[in-house]
Amino acid sequence: MIKNELDGVNRLLKAISENSIASLSSETLNNNLDAQDALNTLQQKTSEIQEQGVYVNVEKMTLSPETNKKMELPENTLNVMSAGKDSYRELVQRGSKLYDKDNSTYEFDNSIYVELTMELSFDELPQSVKNYIIMIAVVAFKIEKQGDKTRLPYTENQLNMARAALDKTKTKNTKPNMLTDSDTHLGKYHNRLL
């Protein structure tokens, strides 16, 4: 079981037949280039997968303008999209603020309902998401380090199994319903990677 980032890095190192490390301290990483590369790969893939919207990092909420009429987005925002009663609006993230493309402004008079995709730390993610990210990272890391795609069939089988487990967990946790969930009815649920 992958509990944290250290476990993930060690899984990547194992995939290229390297020894595991005891910590992610600066000293350890500075003395082990493969471990540093493994951590970089894991963090990159964690961000990439979450940016697509994993069921645990997408939240619908109401944002309200501050006194200057601008809306500051949470620091860990990866993507923002208008939702619910405001779904007709074309809103985007620009820097750390919400931007209204329809009116070419950062200023808002009223609250806006949005769907935020937020980046969570690897350690906060559920096991099924961690496993999927690890398998994506293993494939990328093995190709980067060994450059031999012929060694990947077993890994790709594991990736498919991790994806199936993730899909099962997502379905169990999100309980999509075509009658009451407009996102499902519009096909958004099925079009998301995760």
Side-chain angles (χ1 to χ4, degrees):
M1 182 160 83
I2 305 292
K3 296 178 189 170
N4 52 40
E5 239 179 10
L6 176 61
D7 291 344
V9 166
N10 283 329
R11 177 64 182 88
L12 269 63
L13 291 171
K14 182 179 177 184
I16 62 166
S17 302
E18 289 294 326
N19 292 328
S20 62
I21 58 173
S23 77
L24 294 175
S25 69
S26 301
E27 183 180 341
T28 300
L29 296 173
N30 288 338
N31 292 324
N32 188 328
L33 181 60
D34 286 333
Q36 179 63 61
D37 290 345
L39 178 61
N40 291 342
T41 299
L42 179 59
Q43 290 175 340
Q44 177 186 358
K45 296 305 174 187
T46 299
S47 291
E48 287 175 8
I49 296 300
Q50 288 190 72
E51 191 172 1
Q52 298 168 30
V54 185
Y55 70 96
V56 295
N57 75 327
V58 177
E59 293 185 31
K60 290 184 179 173
M61 63 180 61
T62 302
L63 297 177
S64 298
E66 297 174 11
T67 54
N68 62 4
K69 294 190 172 189
K70 295 180 180 178
M71 291 195 194
E72 195 74 28
L73 296 169
E75 198 173 289
N76 62 340
T77 301
L78 294 172
N79 187 32
V80 63
M81 186 170 68
S82 57
K85 64 179 178 55
D86 293 309
S87 60
Y88 69 95
R89 299 186 72 164
E90 194 170 354
L91 306 173
V92 295
Q93 177 181 1
R94 287 200 178 166
S96 63
K97 293 182 177 42
L98 187 65
Y99 183 76
D100 180 349
K101 286 183 69 175
D102 294 328
N103 299 304
S104 303
T105 185
Y106 288 99
E107 295 184 359
F108 296 87
D109 292 321
N110 301 307
S111 297
I112 302 286
Y113 194 61
V114 297
E115 181 178 280
L116 288 180
T117 303
M118 297 179 287
E119 185 167 13
L120 305 176
S121 73
F122 183 82
D123 295 356
E124 291 179 273
L125 298 170
Q127 192 63 47
S128 61
V129 177
K130 288 178 187 173
N131 289 341
Y132 184 68
I133 290 169
I134 289 294
M135 292 315 306
I136 294 284
V138 162
V139 170
F141 192 62
K142 282 182 74 131
I143 291 171
E144 175 191 331
K145 289 293 183 178
Q146 297 175 333
D148 185 1
K149 292 184 181 183
T150 61
R151 294 178 165 197
L152 291 178
Y154 179 66
T155 304
E156 287 178 2
N157 184 41
Q158 288 177 315
L159 176 60
N160 290 335
M161 289 177 10
R163 174 58 194 253
L166 174 64
D167 288 343
K168 183 177 178 181
T169 303
K170 176 184 178 182
T171 300
K172 190 174 10 174
N173 285 300
T174 58
K175 297 177 180 74
N177 181 334
M178 287 184 67
L179 298 175
T180 60
D181 186 353
S182 62
D183 288 351
T184 301
H185 180 70
L186 295 172
K188 286 167 118 178
Y189 172 79
H190 298 290
N191 291 333
R192 280 209 175 153
L193 177 62
L194 301 173

